[in-house]
Structure formats: C-alpha cells, structure tokens
Amino acid sequence: RMPSIFSYQSAEVDWCEGNFERSPIIAEYYNTVNGALLSYDVLAPFLAGIFSVYFHMTLSYVGQLLDELSILWALAVAYSFWYPKIYFPRFIKSRKHFFWLTGITTVISTLMSFIKPAFNAYWLNCIAFHLLYLTWRELKKCNDKRVHRMAAVMVMWWVLAITSWLSDRFLCGLWQAINFPYFHSFWHVLIAMSLLYCCPLVIYFDVHYEMPSFEPKLGYWPSDSWPVVVPYVVLVEAHKQC
C-alpha cells in the first residue's frame, strides 16, 4: 500500500537535522522554526514561507511539492515582469510573448516535478547561476561603485547559503557525528539575506530599462556605516551612470 502523500515523512527528501527530537509534531524543529519561519515568511513572496514551514514540519510529499513549486512559480513571476527585454530570445517580440514562454515553461516544469520531486531543489539552485550571469552582464555596463558593492554582498551571502545547503546534503554524516546537523536552517537565513540585496538590484536595473527619465540610486537604512542594513532604491531625475 502506498503511503498517503500527506503523511509525515512521505517526502523524497529528508534533511540532516534529526526528526521529532524536540517536538512530537514538528519533524525538523530548527528547519521549521529558525529557518523557514524566521526568514522565508518575512522575505519570500507568494506563500513560500508558509509552505516551507509546512514541509519541514511534516516532511510530507505534498509539503515538499508545495515548498519547491511555490519558489518555482515565484521565480517565474519575477522573470515575467522584470527580465530585461534586451536579453529576450530573438523569437520573442514583446513582453506578452515572454509571459507565455515563461508560463508554458513553468507549467511543464511543474508537471515534471511530480515525476521526480528530488530533482526540484537542484534545478532551482541552477536558476541562481543564470541570475548571477545576468548580474555580471549588467555590472560590466555599470560604473556605480555602490551597485558593484551591493552585488558583491549579494554574492557573498549566496555563496555562504549554497555552501550550507551542499554541506547539509552531502556531509550529513560528519555534522551528525559532531552533533551539529543544522546547516539547512542556516541556508534559509543566508539565502534570505542574499535576497535582501538581490531585490534592490533587480529594481535598480529595471528602473534603468523601464524608466529612462529617472536615475536609480542605492541606499542603506538606517546608515551605510551600520553592520546590518536594509538596502533600498531612490529615484532621481538626473543623468544615468549605467
């Protein structure tokens, strides 16, 4: 008999943290509370945080799909609205056509996810390399040091995040041996920090292409000198540097 897709621990993925060690109803306590609830609920759009909490709490097959597919669809929406037109494939003539291309691709990817859900996480991480490539292309055309600084900080957080993700996935035996199997919860927080810098960069470049009468400038709240800041974009009517 096949286990219910809603059952606890019916997912294809089980992270390194021990299950039900601190709660009889939460499978991965720190991944649920410290990772998903603390970071994704604050920063990720479209219910991704709620689905991440549900997945790590239950480790269910449905939870795994909801967690990963919510991220996929969030990325698809972001690509649809903010992907620069200059990078459209040659056969795409308008943003509307690009919407259709993104939508069809996302639907196909969603259907394929039901065949082998374990591959979803690797596919989603690969999308990050495309985003890094686009960032590199844009930085080559930009002389604003603040933009380069923000991009560098974004990449730093991403490298730490992906290192934590890979460490949890492939070095689990080592971390369990020293009783420290919490690197996936670090992934949640670190990738959220990377997104905190990624979003203003996307807005910055989008303004550059879609609002040519304005010059975007990057700032940090409450101050540039603070160790922990919230980056933001200011629009001024001036000559562009990028």
Side-chain angles (χ1 to χ4, degrees), residues 82-240:
W82 295 300
Y83 193 79
K85 293 180 181 178
I86 62 169
Y87 299 124
F88 282 2
R90 291 185 178 182
F91 61 90
I92 298 296
K93 304 301 181 183
S94 67
R95 177 71 64 179
K96 182 179 179 180
H97 292 164
F98 188 71
F99 282 167
W100 278 102
L101 174 64
T102 305
I104 292 171
T105 303
T106 306
V107 169
I108 294 173
S109 300
T110 299
L111 295 176
M112 292 179 63
S113 297
F114 289 90
I115 300 174
K116 189 64 177 176
F119 287 136
N120 292 348
Y122 297 96
W123 169 242
L124 291 172
N125 278 317
C126 287
I127 296 177
F129 288 101
H130 185 244
L131 293 174
L132 292 173
Y133 170 73
L134 290 177
T135 302
W136 173 73
R137 291 280 301 270
E138 289 298 316
L139 291 178
K140 288 177 63 178
K141 301 182 289 184
C142 182
N143 298 319
D144 191 331
K145 293 182 179 180
R146 294 177 73 87
V147 177
H148 285 258
R149 172 191 171 189
M150 188 170 290
V153 175
M154 177 193 73
V155 172
M156 177 198 73
W157 286 116
W158 179 81
V159 169
L160 292 173
I162 195 64
T163 300
S164 296
W165 192 92
L166 292 172
S167 295
D168 187 275
R169 203 82 200 105
F170 298 108
L171 298 176
C172 180
L174 172 62
W175 307 131
Q176 288 181 339
I178 63 175
N179 198 28
F180 198 78
Y182 307 119
F183 278 90
H184 190 75
S185 64
F186 292 166
W187 148 263
H188 284 288
V189 177
L190 293 168
I191 199 64
M193 292 300 299
S194 183
L195 287 172
L196 185 66
Y197 289 85
C198 178
C199 291
L201 278 178
V202 171
I203 295 172
Y204 180 95
F205 293 125
D206 185 64
V207 170
H208 169 69
Y209 287 112
E210 302 298 331
M211 303 174 67
S213 60
F214 289 93
E215 177 185 357
K217 289 186 177 296
L218 297 176
Y220 297 94
W221 181 87
S223 170
D224 288 14
S225 60
W226 282 45
V228 179
V229 296
V230 177
Y232 61 91
V233 179
V234 176
L235 302 184
V236 295
E237 291 186 294
H239 180 71
K240 294 182 182 294

Side-chain angles (χ1 to χ4, degrees), residues 1-31:
R1 180 184 175 184
M2 293 293 290
S4 169
I5 59 176
F6 292 96
S7 298
Y8 272 68
Q9 295 180 285
S10 58
E12 291 189 353
V13 176
D14 190 353
W15 300 99
C16 194
E17 182 182 353
N19 298 330
F20 304 105
E21 292 183 344
R22 290 168 177 82
S23 171
I25 61 173
I26 299 177
E28 296 176 339
Y29 184 83
Y30 286 107
N31 284 347

